[in-house]
Amino acid sequence: MGDKLAAIVQGLVDNGYVVLPNWLDDELRSALRAELLVRQDELSRAGIGRDLEHQQRLDVRNDQTLWLDGLSLQQQQYLAQMDELRQTLNRSLFLGLNDFECHFAHYGPGHYYQKHLDAFRGRSNRVVSTVVYLNAWWPQDAGGELAIYDDKDQLLDKVSPQPGTLVCFLSEEFPHEVLPAGDDRYSIAGWFRRDGVQLL
Ligand SMILES: O=C(O)CCC(=O)C(=O)O
Ligand SMILES: [Fe+2]
């Protein structure tokens, strides 16, 4: 297992979340960012709850998103890297993850995503949340941090969206929010899922 993969497994075991700088190499990061920029007019205002309700709630979040379709070389490279992570998590932690869904996201200046959980116990198949940041640079004073809380709403961490950083956390355990971005903020948010297997 590579050092980075081992660090993710260890972080999830120890804390339930992990922040890994330099997960994406620069070439792949900038290719993904370039694709997002070229396809900016395809991005739509994000809704809350993909499957449940398609309503738009601009008071809760106002980023714009586009689901990856796996068609471009850079998407394929990214999805292959995340599949390696999926297999590692399954081997090391027996999570039984069998799917990964992810979307590009763009937070324009002033945009945010209020505190939320990505999965509710028993109501979603999302097990591990992931975010990777695609900006070429991000000044420390530009806001847009991912604030991560524990189940008592105590702030655990404020992650600056630095180029290539990956954040992983257990989807049901950690309320989190995106603080208002001071600049255009580009990312891919994704979820490892455990789908389909119903043991009655
Ligand atoms: O962009 C981030 O840092 C987190 C995004 C997020 O929480 C989500 O899309 O569910
Ligand atoms: Fe989230």
Side-chain angles (χ1 to χ4, degrees), residues 93-130:
L93 304 174
F94 307 102
L95 290 179
L97 308 169
N98 55 11
D99 197 12
F100 180 66
E101 59 182 359
C102 59
H103 62 53
F104 288 116
H106 169 219
Y107 292 74
H111 288 179
Y112 55 82
Y113 191 165
Q114 290 179 358
K115 198 190 289 180
H116 63 280
L117 278 170
D118 286 347
F120 295 96
R121 224 172 277 282
R123 283 178 43 198
S124 164
N125 298 325
R126 290 176 170 177
V127 179
V128 177
S129 300
T130 68

Side-chain angles (χ1 to χ4, degrees), residues 61 103 107 113 116 118 131 133 146 176 178 185 187 189 191:
R61 71 187 294 187
H103 62 53
Y107 292 74
Y113 191 165
H116 63 280
D118 286 347
V131 200
Y133 300 110
L146 172 65
H176 56 281
V178 179
R185 178 190 193 270
S187 59
W191 298 271

Side-chain angles (χ1 to χ4, degrees), residues 35 39 68-70 72-79 104:
E35 177 175 350
R39 300 181 62 185
L68 269 69
D69 53 27
S72 67
L73 181 62
Q74 56 272 7
Q75 284 193 32
Q76 286 160 13
Q77 288 174 348
Y78 181 68
L79 293 170
F104 288 116

Side-chain angles (χ1 to χ4, degrees), residues 1-65:
M1 194 193 305
D3 286 352
K4 290 181 181 177
L5 292 170
I8 294 171
V9 170
Q10 201 56 48
L12 287 176
V13 168
D14 290 344
N15 304 311
Y17 79 95
V18 61
V19 180
L20 198 85
N22 304 312
W23 163 256
L24 265 195
D25 71 56
D26 256 6
E27 208 175 316
L28 181 53
R29 183 192 50 69
S30 65
L32 288 163
R33 177 170 160 279
E35 177 175 350
L36 197 169
L37 290 175
V38 166
R39 300 181 62 185
Q40 194 130 25
D41 60 347
E42 291 176 59
L43 271 69
S44 60
R45 291 258 175 234
I48 310 287
R50 187 187 182 201
D51 302 317
L52 300 173
E53 63 218 5
H54 286 266
Q55 83 214 56
Q56 292 185 357
R57 294 276 310 276
L58 296 183
D59 52 331
V60 176
R61 71 187 294 187
N62 47 19
D63 58 326
Q64 297 189 296
T65 61

